[in-house]
């Protein structure tokens, strides 16, 4: 299978911040000798170089669907990246001290795209719930802290026990069958905002579709980061004004009829 | 560059965020548009011959530029070689726009920025750091000043 290796190498060596770097000993595939390599973790990609100054990585380990565990190896401070499925290999690595080992185990076990996506969705949901919690007021919205704790406990489980991706789907006519992951395109839950209509007040602005068009830009540079952030900020502003207006109306009604 | 091919192949078999039959052209001299199945899984775009179960290849969608080209067409190019474009022709303009949007959000880096944004928003509204409950508030990769 082809991979855009040149781009991968560029991603590995460019000056975008790495999530972890350091020397680790990597056990060979066929021979059990350990080789010292310079490791660079960026996102869900664990690159390894022969030397720290090497221009190109020797290899990369894609960190999706793996478990990171300590292992008893003759080598001290050893840990393993284990993939599921038959014939999938286990990468055995060893750090130079306890602190380094712990740091790597921690960062590797939370490196997957899947994990990050779960956290983002959770925060997204919390933010939406807070924005539409008009009954609890705007400024002092705390959100249902009980349910926050409940949700966070789901994520606090060790990443190894995050819901597994669905099993391999059967082939049809020689082609793999695929589905959209359930829930990815589900629009945000809007059941809470009907309360606003009870008194004949205007409906709150409709929630926008999850995906918003943004002008074409490099998807990973800071510039486009600012662009998508300002879109979120604009959204926040927009809803903020609406919320403020509704709250003013409510306060006025509370004061009672003016003579 | 060595990579864990078996795991990548396994990833390619998983349910996709988005999948479609499109015409694809790779940035090689003399290459033409060919019918392909493309499948977006996490930050990879896999592409298959329409009758095969194993992908021909995969593109890691980091530091890339998604550009809307002419009608029904978009391209993917990478930061270090912006002229080398992978071109995709969709069945409709609507489908094309959907892919452009989906691919722009497909990178790990985009996801990280979203997390930082939401974290900041929630903190502003509540005074509390929502990452604390997940035990990851100290991680350097989620700090605002990156």
């Amino acid at each position: 299978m082809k991979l855009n290796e040149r781009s991968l190498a560029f991603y590995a060596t460019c000056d975008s911040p790495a999530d972890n770097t350091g020397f680790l000993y990597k056990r060979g595939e066929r021979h059990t000798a350990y080789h010292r390599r310079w490791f660079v973790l960026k996102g869900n990609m664990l690159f390894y170089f022969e030397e720290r100054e090497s221009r190109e990585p020797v290899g990369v380990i894609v960190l999706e669907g793996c478990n990171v565990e300590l292992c008893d190896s003759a080598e001290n401070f050893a840990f393993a990246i284990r993939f599921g499925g038959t014939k999938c290999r286990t990468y055995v690595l060893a750090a130079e001290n306890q602190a380094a080992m712990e740091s790597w185990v921690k960062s590797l076990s939370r490196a997957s795209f899947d994990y990050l996506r779960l956290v983002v969705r959770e925060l997204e949901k919390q933010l939406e719930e807070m924005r539409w919690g008009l009954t609890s007021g705007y400024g002092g919205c705390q959100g249902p802290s009980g349910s926050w704790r409940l949700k966070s406990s789901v994520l606090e489980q060790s990443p190894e026990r995050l819901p597994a991706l669905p099993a391999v789907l059967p082939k049809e006519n020689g082609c793999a069958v695929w589905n959209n992951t359930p829930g990815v395109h589900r629009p945000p839950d809007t059941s809470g905002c009907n309360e606003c209509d009870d008194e004949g007040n205007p409906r709150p602005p409709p929630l926008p579709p999850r995906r918003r068009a943004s002008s074409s830009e490099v998807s990973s540079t800071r510039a486009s980061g600012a662009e998508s952030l300002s879109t979120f900020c604009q959204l926040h502003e927009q809803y903020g004004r609406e919320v403020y207006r509704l709250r003013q109306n409510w306060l006025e009604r509370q004061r009672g009829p003016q003579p | 560059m060595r990579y864990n091919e078996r795991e990548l192949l396994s990833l390619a078999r998983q349910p996709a965020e988005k999948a479609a039959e499109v015409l694809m052209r790779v940035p090689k001299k003399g290459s033409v548009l060919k019918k392909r199945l493309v499948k977006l899984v996490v930050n990879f775009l896999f592409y298959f011959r329409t009758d095969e179960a194993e992908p021909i290849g995969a593109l890691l969608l980091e530091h890339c530029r998604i550009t809307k080209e002419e009608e029904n067409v978009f391209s993917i190019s990478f930061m270090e070689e912006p002229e080398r474009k992978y071109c995709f022709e969709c069945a409709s303009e609507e489908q094309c726009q959907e892919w452009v949007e989906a691919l722009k959000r497909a990178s790990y880096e985009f996801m990280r920025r979203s997390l930082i944004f939401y974290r900041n928003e929630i903190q502003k509204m509540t005074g509390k750091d929502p990452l604390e409950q997940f035990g990851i508030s100290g991680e350097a990769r989620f700090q605002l000043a990156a």
Side-chain angles (χ1 to χ4, degrees), chain A residues 1 87 124 178 212 232, chain B residues 3 6 19 50 105 117-118:
Chain A
M1 178 173 56
K87 301 199 290 177
E124 218 168 28
W178 59 90
R212 270 196 148 226
F232 286 127
Chain B
Y3 66 96
R6 269 189 228 119
T50 52
R105 284 152 208 276
F117 173 82
Y118 289 129

Side-chain angles (χ1 to χ4, degrees), chain A residues 125-203:
Chain A
K125 200 162 84 169
Q126 285 179 12
L127 195 59
E128 272 168 22
E129 283 173 0
M130 280 162 46
R131 282 177 175 165
W132 295 112
L134 290 171
T135 48
S136 28
Y138 178 57
C141 183
Q142 295 293 314
S145 51
S147 63
W148 278 22
R149 251 177 261 124
L150 185 68
K151 284 167 203 159
S152 71
S153 72
V154 171
L155 279 161
E156 199 116 55
Q157 286 172 20
S158 57
E160 292 84 351
R161 280 184 278 133
L162 286 176
L165 289 166
V168 172
L169 296 170
K171 291 182 206 173
E172 274 184 4
N173 299 328
C175 306
V177 178
W178 59 90
N179 291 310
N180 283 330
T181 312
V184 170
H185 294 293
R186 210 185 319 153
D189 179 30
T190 57
S191 55
C193 56
N194 287 330
E195 307 165 1
C196 311
D197 295 335
D198 286 352
E199 312 225 36
N201 285 331
R203 275 187 178 277

Side-chain angles (χ1 to χ4, degrees), chain B residues 13-133:
Chain B
R13 283 193 294 270
Q14 270 154 21
E17 275 100 79
K18 212 165 168 52
E21 245 187 51
V22 296
L23 296 173
M24 177 180 175
R25 190 179 69 226
V26 299
K28 208 160 80 170
K29 207 170 183 185
S31 87
V32 294
L33 283 171
K34 295 198 179 134
K35 195 156 84 159
R36 295 285 180 253
L37 289 165
V38 291
K39 195 169 158 181
L40 175 63
V41 183
V42 297
N43 51 348
F44 280 95
L45 186 70
F46 294 99
Y47 50 100
F48 304 69
R49 284 194 192 91
T50 52
D51 56 353
E52 288 178 9
E54 212 175 87
I56 307 168
L59 300 177
L60 175 70
L61 299 167
E62 300 294 333
H63 290 239
C64 63
R65 171 183 229 123
I66 316 294
T67 314
K68 173 85 178 68
E69 307 279 355
E70 67 264 26
E71 193 173 358
N72 295 355
V73 178
F74 69 89
S75 69
I76 302 177
S77 60
F78 294 90
M79 219 187 240
E80 78 284 0
E81 281 175 310
E83 340 71 45
R84 270 187 96 240
K85 293 185 172 186
Y86 291 80
C87 292
F88 301 85
E89 187 176 317
C90 304
S92 70
E93 183 59 24
E94 190 188 350
Q95 191 189 46
C96 182
Q97 291 288 4
E98 284 175 12
W99 275 99
V100 169
E101 285 188 36
L103 291 170
K104 281 183 175 173
R105 284 152 208 276
S107 71
Y108 196 100
E109 296 305 314
F110 179 89
M111 183 106 3
R112 190 207 305 268
R113 285 200 305 276
S114 305
L115 187 149
I116 292 172
F117 173 82
Y118 289 129
R119 177 192 194 181
N120 193 41
E121 287 299 294
I122 292 172
Q123 191 147 24
K124 281 197 303 207
M125 282 179 94
T126 67
K128 286 191 217 153
D129 178 0
L131 293 190
E132 257 167 51
Q133 291 160 325

Side-chain angles (χ1 to χ4, degrees), chain A residues 56-77:
Chain A
E56 226 184 72
V58 170
V60 63
I61 303 170
V62 179
L63 298 167
E64 292 297 322
C66 62
N67 288 329
V68 183
E69 25 189 82
L70 304 176
C71 60
D72 349 277
S73 153
E75 196 72 24
N76 282 335
F77 314 121

